[in-house]
Amino acid sequence: AKGDGGAKYHIYHEEMYKKVALRVMMESEVRQALAKNQFSLSLQPQLEAKTKKLYGFEALLRWQHPERGMVSPEDFIPLLENSQYMVELGYWVIRRCFELCQTFIDKGLTDVRIAINLSAGQFADPHLTDYLIDLLAEFSLEANHFELELTEQTLVKNIDSAIEMMNGLRDIGFSFAIDDFGTGYSSLAYLKKMPVDVIKIDKSFVFGMLENRADYQIIMSTIAMVKKLGLLVIAEGVETSAQLRSLTENDCDIIQGYYFSKPIPETKLMEFIDTKIVN
Ligand code: C2E
Ligand code: CA
Ligand code: CA
Ligand code: CA
């Protein structure tokens, strides 16, 4: 038994080492990638369920790696979770969203709204509020063009400072969405304490909602509850017209998913915008 324990300990160590090595490699690669402009954003449209009117976009990070090709954010963001580079990359994302918003407005899409994902580390950064205030001034943009997406995990990690920071940013005009709703371990109690505007139902519930009774019930009761709290509800991962119809009939406000559009790369955005502007 003693030998086994030793072996396990050894394997555990090796795994740990691999993880640390991967993270260190990732950090230096991200630093270089920022300098070499390998990051871009893809924007996924969000539409009002009933009218099919454009509500806004979610900004999703893309990394075009010279050798590895397009690296999924799920393959590098979790590795950078507690790193200063994620904070730095997060600031790059925010600035890019301001630039894109400015471009949209110049194009005539004046009531555009962009949802920005914030990582836990980024949200814990004491400079975030000042950074956002400075950008508003620099671009002369109203904060109500931006929705900040936080996960339940992020909120729970920082609960006291989170509420304070959110209240401050909401006073300025930013709105807040809870992302991946229903997948965290947090209780519903925090919903009434949290100054949030929008709840995003996680796509894992949406995918099987018409085949799986539990997923269906979870979605429908979430929508009902969220509406009773006076908040807006977004369903993500909507891929079929049947899902769209069912969600719309049950009062879901906003729909995001491949059924309407995959995330659109920056290079194709203006084409999309042109179809949305009716003069
Ligand atoms: P998320 O915030 O939950 O973003 C939604 C994800 O669902 C995106 O994956 C989007 O492409 C995908 N999606 C949307 N509609 C559909 C659909 O109908 N079917 C399917 N199969 N997928 C759909 P993506 O772009 O790969 O991003 C993955 C995750 O990476 C995001 O999940 C978010 O947690 C993180 N992420 C992406 N960009 C950023 C960023 O700028 N900052 C931070 N902190 N995290 C980001
Ligand atoms: Ca999100
Ligand atoms: Ca999500
Ligand atoms: Ca997710």
Side-chain angles (χ1 to χ4, degrees):
K2 202 182 171 195
D4 282 342
K8 259 189 208 148
Y9 182 74
H10 186 71
I11 290 167
Y12 176 72
H13 243 70
E14 223 164 71
E15 286 296 306
M16 280 275 288
Y17 176 77
K18 274 191 199 151
K19 260 196 177 160
V20 170
L22 191 60
R23 202 179 63 219
V24 169
M25 188 189 78
M26 215 33 122
E27 287 182 353
S28 92
E29 280 199 51
V30 163
R31 190 159 30 100
Q32 289 177 41
L34 269 168
K36 292 180 184 160
N37 284 317
Q38 290 168 5
F39 291 108
S40 66
L41 295 180
S42 282
L43 266 61
Q44 187 174 33
Q46 303 171 318
L47 277 72
E48 286 174 15
K50 294 222 159 72
T51 62
K52 311 291 181 291
K53 226 182 109 238
L54 184 69
Y55 167 77
F57 296 96
E58 177 177 4
L60 295 157
L61 190 57
R62 296 292 177 260
W63 181 4
Q64 183 65 53
H65 192 282
E67 287 111 47
R68 280 187 273 157
M70 198 58 97
V71 186
S72 162
E74 300 203 307
D75 290 336
F76 67 93
I77 290 177
L79 279 172
L80 294 171
E81 207 165 296
N82 295 311
S83 142
Q84 185 53 35
Y85 292 114
M86 191 56 228
V87 177
E88 221 176 286
L89 187 54
Y91 281 132
W92 180 88
V93 169
I94 295 174
R95 169 169 282 277
R96 191 77 195 109
C97 285
F98 273 69
E99 290 170 357
L100 288 169
C101 182
Q102 185 63 69
T103 314
F104 291 156
I105 291 172
D106 292 346
K107 272 269 193 178
L109 201 70
T110 49
D111 56 357
V112 68
R113 180 187 284 264
I114 301 180
I116 307 173
N117 289 287
L118 296 184
S119 64
Q122 191 180 6
F123 191 62
D125 184 55
H127 306 296
L128 178 67
T129 300
D130 285 342
Y131 186 81
L132 288 166
I133 290 172
D134 288 349
L135 280 180
L136 289 175
E138 183 186 334
F139 285 83
S140 304
L141 285 171
E142 301 282 338
N144 58 19
H145 289 296
F146 304 99
E147 198 157 276
L148 306 174
E149 292 194 3
L150 302 167
T151 63
E152 295 169 289
Q153 235 72 4
T154 297
L155 286 170
V156 167
K157 257 188 218 165
N158 306 289
I159 194 126
D160 290 325
S161 61
I163 294 179
E164 204 183 306
M165 197 148 146
M166 290 165 87
N167 280 327
L169 286 167
R170 272 178 110 217
D171 285 345
I172 304 168
F174 290 99
S175 58
F176 282 93
I178 298 184
D179 202 0
D180 303 346
F181 187 77
T183 63
Y185 294 104
S186 47
S187 77
L188 292 177
Y190 78 118
L191 254 189
K192 71 176 186 195
K193 278 197 284 183
M194 285 293 168
V196 297
D197 309 274
V198 177
I199 299 294
K200 292 190 78 176
I201 298 176
D202 191 65
K203 56 183 184 297
S204 62
F205 298 108
V206 176
F207 287 154
M209 63 174 275
L210 297 179
E211 291 79 39
N212 183 308
R213 204 180 146 69
D215 285 343
Y216 182 86
Q217 293 302 347
I218 288 168
I219 287 185
M220 297 316 163
S221 44
T222 301
I223 294 174
M225 175 192 68
V226 171
K227 309 281 304 182
K228 278 199 184 112
L229 291 172
L231 309 178
L232 207 70
V233 59
I234 300 181
E236 68 173 22
V238 178
E239 296 186 346
T240 69
S241 60
Q243 291 165 348
L244 170 66
R245 193 173 336 111
S246 174
L247 288 161
T248 309
E249 279 169 7
N250 286 282
D251 270 346
C252 183
D253 300 300
I254 313 288
I255 303 291
Q256 177 182 347
Y258 293 174
Y259 178 71
F260 284 129
S261 173
K262 289 199 169 172
I264 305 170
E266 284 178 32
T267 50
K268 300 242 169 73
L269 267 175
M270 290 314 143
E271 233 172 273
F272 177 84
I273 294 298
D274 285 338
T275 70
K276 288 288 157 200
I277 299 168
V278 237
N279 288 310

